[in-house]
């Protein structure tokens, strides 16, 4: 397909996405009002199935209790005679957070909110399914629609879907997805080749000492004092173990122990996160973390229980697929609306797909110049610009068409 044909296809997608925007905004608002936590997305699953059925797209046999897999078959002729499939993914779960926005479509569920944009992601993929359903004549292959549950809670939904045979059964040649980012201006996208998002591991430490009266600390083995020194020692790991050119984060985000002013407790618990951008450094910091905790604990005559729960791996964007998405983005959105992104230390289970299938994951701009300071991911006042829905569904639709054009 030559450039003139791509230009015509892009124009068709823009028109379709523009006309569909009010409907997709309404879908997003419905999803926002009815959020569901990870592995509990039963109503969301039924809503997606019903909408797709209205397009003539029936859900495939389920691989998990929640979530939807569907296949949209194109009617265009494959350029090489070999039919290919491209996968598009959206995550569908919400966060355990009480919304503090003032919209008339705020969450109706107590302590549950789409504070990470998954309602936007789901609505945009439904929008893309609608756009592509109306352009089957230009669709030279098939589109695998993945509405994935449980991105927010490890082990996530991507890994069990892959283990259940999702990619082996449908054999996509590439996979793409996007994520709302309020730091990127609405109407634009940002991309990064190679390592884009960090591996994220959960850290759990329990310090066992000997409690007693706070007036006689010499008769105790104080787990609070030991914990303070452990936290201080851990803060040196990144600066003294990780090479200066390697990104890494280690944060102790919770500490709990004691309940009175005059009692030294017997135990203290701590929790935190470790973020790394390559597997070698990840393994080294795991080893150093456990060794540091145990050695400091031993110095204070207390005992330490250490657990490191491995989370999502590094999200690595295939360079060739990212180049393709970059060119498609410029063709569809214009040169000024596609920019380079730096790697970020957030994590995403889309990384599992990219370990098995070439693809790319990009930032979808949802921010405005006058966005409120609290318009942040995982914030009770996260408030994405809904006009990004038009950008996102159009970009995914055009990229699918562009990829299958050969």
């Amino acid at each position: 397909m030559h450039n003139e044909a791509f230009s015509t296809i892009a124009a068709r997608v823009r028109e379709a996405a523009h006309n569909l925007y009010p409907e997709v905004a309404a879908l997003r608002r419905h999803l926002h009002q009815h959020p569901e936590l990870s592995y509990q997305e039963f109503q969301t699953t039924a809503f997606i199935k019903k909408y797709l059925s209205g397009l003539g797209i029936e859900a495939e046999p389920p691989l998990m209790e929640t979530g939807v897999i569907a296949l949209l078959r194109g009617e265009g002729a494959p350029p090489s005679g070999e039919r290919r499939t491209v996968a598009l993914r959206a995550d569908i779960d919400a966060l355990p957070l009480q919304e503090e926005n003032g919209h008339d479509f705020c969450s109706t569920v107590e302590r549950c909110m789409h504070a990470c944009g998954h309602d936007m992601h789901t609505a945009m993929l439904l929008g893309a399914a609608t756009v592509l359903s109306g352009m089957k004549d230009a669709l030279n292959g098939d589109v695998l629609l993945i509405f994935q549950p449980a991105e927010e809670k490890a082990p996530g939904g991507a890994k069990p879907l892959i283990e259940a045979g999702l990619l082996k059964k449908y054999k996509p040649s590439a996979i793409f997805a996007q994520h709302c980012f309020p730091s990127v201006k609405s109407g634009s996208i940002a991309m990064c080749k190679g390592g884009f998002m960090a591996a994220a591991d959960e850290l759990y430490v329990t310090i066992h000492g000997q409690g007693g009266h706070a007036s006689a600390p010499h008769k105790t083995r104080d787990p609070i004092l030991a914990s303070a020194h452990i936290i201080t020692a851990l803060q040196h790991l990144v600066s003294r173990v990780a090479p200066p050119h390697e990104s890494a984060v280690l944060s102790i985000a919770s500490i709990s122990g004691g309940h009175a002013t005059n009692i030294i407790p017997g135990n203290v618990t701590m929790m935190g996160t470790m973020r790394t951008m390559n597997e070698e450094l990840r393994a080294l910091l795991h080893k150093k973390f456990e060794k540091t905790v145990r050695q400091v604990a031993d110095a204070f005559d207390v005992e330490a229980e250490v657990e490191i729960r491995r989370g999502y791996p590094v999200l690595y964007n295939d360079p060739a697929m990212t180049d393709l998405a970059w060119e498609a983005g410029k063709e569809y959105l214009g040169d000024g609306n596609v920019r380079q992104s730096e790697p970020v230390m957030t994590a995403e289970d889309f990384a599992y797909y990219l370990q098995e299938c070439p693809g790319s994951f990009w930032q979808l701009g949802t921010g405005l110049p006058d966005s409120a300071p609290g318009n942040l991911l995982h914030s009770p006042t996260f408030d994405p610009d809904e006009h990004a829905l038009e950008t996102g569904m159009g970009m995914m639709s055009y990229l699918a068409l562009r990829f299958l054009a050969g």
Side-chain angles (χ1 to χ4, degrees), residues 134-149:
M135 297 182 63
K136 288 183 180 179
D137 62 299
L139 195 59
N140 299 332
D142 302 327
V143 181
L144 182 65
L145 305 168
I146 304 172
F147 294 89
Q148 180 209 298

Side-chain angles (χ1 to χ4, degrees), residues 158-172:
K159 188 175 182 181
L161 281 175
I162 294 168
E163 290 173 345
L166 172 68
L167 300 180
K168 289 182 180 178
K169 179 177 180 180
Y170 298 100
K171 298 180 174 61

Side-chain angles (χ1 to χ4, degrees), residues 14-301:
R14 286 190 204 98
E15 181 180 10
H18 179 73
N19 292 338
L20 194 59
Y21 166 70
E23 180 178 332
V24 174
L27 293 175
R28 182 260 166 163
R29 293 186 179 195
H30 171 86
L31 292 164
H32 192 82
Q33 285 182 299
H34 303 93
E36 294 176 295
L37 296 176
S38 303
Y39 306 104
Q40 301 173 29
E41 312 95 331
F42 296 101
Q43 292 182 36
T44 305
T45 296
F47 181 80
I48 294 166
K49 286 182 178 179
K50 183 178 179 180
Y51 187 86
L52 291 176
S53 181
L55 299 175
I57 305 171
E58 297 304 322
E60 296 286 297
L63 298 176
M64 293 179 66
E65 270 198 293
T66 55
V68 179
I69 306 299
L71 195 62
L72 172 59
R73 296 193 178 278
E75 297 173 354
S80 63
E82 181 181 343
R83 195 169 189 86
R84 293 193 301 168
T85 298
V86 62
L88 304 177
R89 175 268 207 172
D91 35 17
I92 68 174
D93 55 328
L95 286 162
L97 195 65
Q98 183 66 43
E99 183 163 10
E100 295 178 8
N101 287 313
H103 301 302
D104 58 5
F105 57 88
C106 283
S107 171
T108 60
V109 182
E110 194 74 16
R111 290 186 293 279
C112 187
M113 177 193 175
H114 275 294
C116 202
H118 295 188
D119 53 339
M120 298 275 288
H121 303 167
T122 303
M124 285 185 286
L125 189 52
L126 290 172
T130 307
V131 171
L132 294 171
S133 292
M135 297 182 63
K136 288 183 180 179
D137 62 299
L139 195 59
N140 299 332
D142 302 327
V143 181
L144 182 65
L145 305 168
I146 304 172
F147 294 89
Q148 180 209 298
E151 189 279 326
E152 294 290 358
K153 187 174 178 62
K159 188 175 182 181
L161 281 175
I162 294 168
E163 290 173 345
L166 172 68
L167 300 180
K168 289 182 180 178
K169 179 177 180 180
Y170 298 100
K171 298 180 174 61
S173 299
I175 186 166
F176 299 102
Q178 57 192 350
H179 198 294
C180 293
F181 263 77
S183 58
V184 179
K185 72 174 182 176
S186 185
S188 67
I189 60 175
M191 295 185 169
C192 179
K193 285 186 190 180
F196 176 39
M197 288 187 168
D201 300 313
E202 297 177 357
L203 310 173
Y204 298 90
V205 176
T206 301
I207 302 302
H208 300 284
Q210 173 62 60
H213 203 291
S215 68
H218 61 291
K219 295 182 179 180
T220 71
R221 290 182 289 116
D222 188 349
I224 288 183
L225 179 62
S227 297
H229 281 266
I230 287 169
I231 291 172
T232 300
L234 290 175
Q235 298 312 302
H236 295 287
L237 288 186
V238 169
S239 66
R240 291 298 178 267
V241 174
H245 62 276
E246 289 279 4
S247 296
V249 172
L250 195 164
S251 295
I252 298 300
S254 172
I255 180 167
S256 177
H259 58 274
T261 62
N262 60 349
I263 302 173
I264 291 174
N267 303 298
V268 169
T269 59
M270 294 180 280
M271 297 185 294
T273 185
M274 182 184 293
R275 308 289 172 114
T276 47
M277 291 300 287
N278 72 64
E279 291 300 324
E280 292 78 12
L281 179 58
R282 187 185 195 185
L284 178 60
L285 282 175
H286 283 192
K287 181 179 178 180
K288 292 288 188 179
F289 176 85
E290 184 166 358
K291 184 177 180 181
T292 298
V293 171
R294 295 194 186 283
Q295 287 185 338
V296 176
D298 185 62
F300 284 85
D301 197 24

